[in-house]
Amino acid sequence: MGVRFGLLGTGFWASETHGAALAAHPEVTLVGVWGRDPAKAAGLAEGLGTRPYEDVDALLADVDAVAIALPPDVQGDLALRAARAGKHLLLDKPLALSVEAADAIVAETRARGLASVVFFTSRFSDTVNDFLVRAADDGGWDGVRATLFASIFQPGNPYGASPWRRERGGLWDVGPHVLSVVLPVLGPVEEVTAVAGPRDSVHVLTRHRGGAVGSLSVSLDAAPEAGAFSVDLYGEHGWRAVPGGGRSAVEAFGSAVDRLLAQLRDGPGDPCDVRFGRDVVAVLAAAQASASGGGTVRVAEATGTYPVASD
């Protein structure tokens, strides 16, 4: 029958990435779909060949694991609810919108021995992970310079109508993508300084535990001509650009499913589990506090170091 999954969410990402990958996975049974809009849940369920649920707890009772594709504040509450019901978690980034909410999810998964994966898209590409393994092994990095300028509020963009993205901006939406490839090489962040810039951009300086410094600039509302995605390490080995992912979003999510299933066989623990997701949230929360109030802000203590690949 395969591992029984429930899908929570009915938007574009839920449909085109989570749902498509789960429905196609040979070791998964997609039991059903729940959404905040029952009509959308019914439509998506029909398209995926499964059934809609109007009661989220009824869906949780019928599955082994959940995939959640909802705004991070909604995801945080539902992930905790699912973990308390003993369900394994395949979540999207960011894990939550506060360190406290992320800590609660970490504590519950740890207490119950649950598997978890947070889907940072490029971290499920061999191209990226192989690069990060080599970079971490080489060491000698003084820092990173990263720019991720998106322009999602243009006509036809499927994410442009997202209320949480309009409210939280690039720091919380694309910032996790940058941090997901920086932290495994430079290590935990101890303090940040951030300022807000034009077009809802945020510019962040990070000081890492070993002394390296990061310079990160992100926006969802960049001028279309100014779009950019670059992450460049520098140090004893000169400059090295982190490559882009070599898989589609659906292929990458299928790999995330594989890594959750591997934990069901071998025991909990993944480089992109909820502990890593929590530490990304801690950096984002500190950056938001700095950009809003000024000054340098200490980051909540990290849960550990960050291996690139599973043992």
Side-chain angles (χ1 to χ4, degrees):
M1 181 178 182
V3 176
R4 300 171 301 163
F5 263 86
L7 173 60
L8 310 185
T10 59
F12 179 83
W13 193 242
S15 170
E16 299 301 315
T17 300
H18 288 230
L22 289 168
H25 200 286
E27 298 179 60
V28 164
T29 298
L30 181 55
V31 171
V33 176
W34 175 89
R36 293 172 293 174
D37 183 332
K40 289 183 178 179
L44 178 55
E46 182 178 5
L48 293 173
T50 187
R51 59 170 287 200
Y53 281 72
E54 293 190 5
D55 181 351
V56 69
D57 291 311
L59 178 54
L60 292 178
D62 289 346
V63 301
D64 308 304
V66 293
I68 304 182
L70 286 160
D73 55 333
V74 180
Q75 171 174 262
D77 291 341
L78 287 172
L80 185 59
R81 191 166 169 178
R84 286 173 174 163
K87 309 306 173 182
H88 305 289
L89 303 176
L90 180 45
L91 308 176
D92 226 301
K93 58 78 204 163
L95 174 60
L97 290 178
S98 73
V99 178
E100 293 75 17
D103 279 339
I105 296 168
V106 170
E108 199 67 34
T109 57
R110 184 175 290 168
R112 295 179 179 274
L114 300 174
S116 65
V117 169
V118 180
F119 185 50
F120 299 91
T121 311
S122 64
R123 287 294 304 276
F124 295 86
S125 167
D126 291 340
T127 304
V128 174
N129 280 335
D130 290 348
F131 173 91
L132 296 179
V133 168
R134 293 193 301 270
D137 288 345
D138 289 344
W141 301 108
D142 297 326
V144 65
R145 183 181 64 191
T147 303
L148 208 171
F149 280 175
S151 186
I152 72 168
F153 303 118
Q154 302 302 307
N157 190 295
Y159 306 110
S162 167
W164 83 264
R165 288 181 174 88
R166 285 191 175 272
E167 178 184 355
R168 293 287 177 162
L171 179 66
W172 286 90
D173 186 30
V174 296
H177 289 303
V178 177
L179 291 171
S180 75
V181 297
V182 169
L183 296 184
V185 179
L186 299 187
V189 177
E190 294 188 331
E191 59 185 26
V192 303
T193 306
V195 296
R199 304 186 72 100
D200 203 28
S201 61
V202 180
H203 307 267
V204 184
L205 293 177
T206 58
R207 183 176 297 281
H208 297 254
R209 183 179 292 170
V213 173
S215 174
L216 321 176
S217 295
V218 294
S219 176
L220 292 180
D221 195 24
E225 297 78 6
F229 185 15
S230 61
V231 183
D232 298 294
L233 298 165
Y234 61 89
E236 295 176 4
H237 313 287
W239 289 85
R240 285 191 196 168
V242 179
R247 291 176 175 163
S248 69
V250 172
E251 291 169 335
F253 197 81
S255 179
V257 175
D258 291 338
R259 282 169 46 175
L260 190 79
L261 299 183
Q263 294 176 64
L264 303 189
R265 295 189 295 268
D266 305 329
D270 185 90
C272 290
D273 64 11
V274 292
R275 295 172 299 172
F276 183 72
R278 176 266 182 204
D279 285 358
V280 170
V281 169
V283 178
L284 299 173
Q288 179 177 294
S290 177
S292 300
T296 297
V297 175
R298 295 287 298 178
V299 176
E301 185 175 356
T303 59
T305 55
Y306 309 123
V308 179
S310 301
D311 294 333

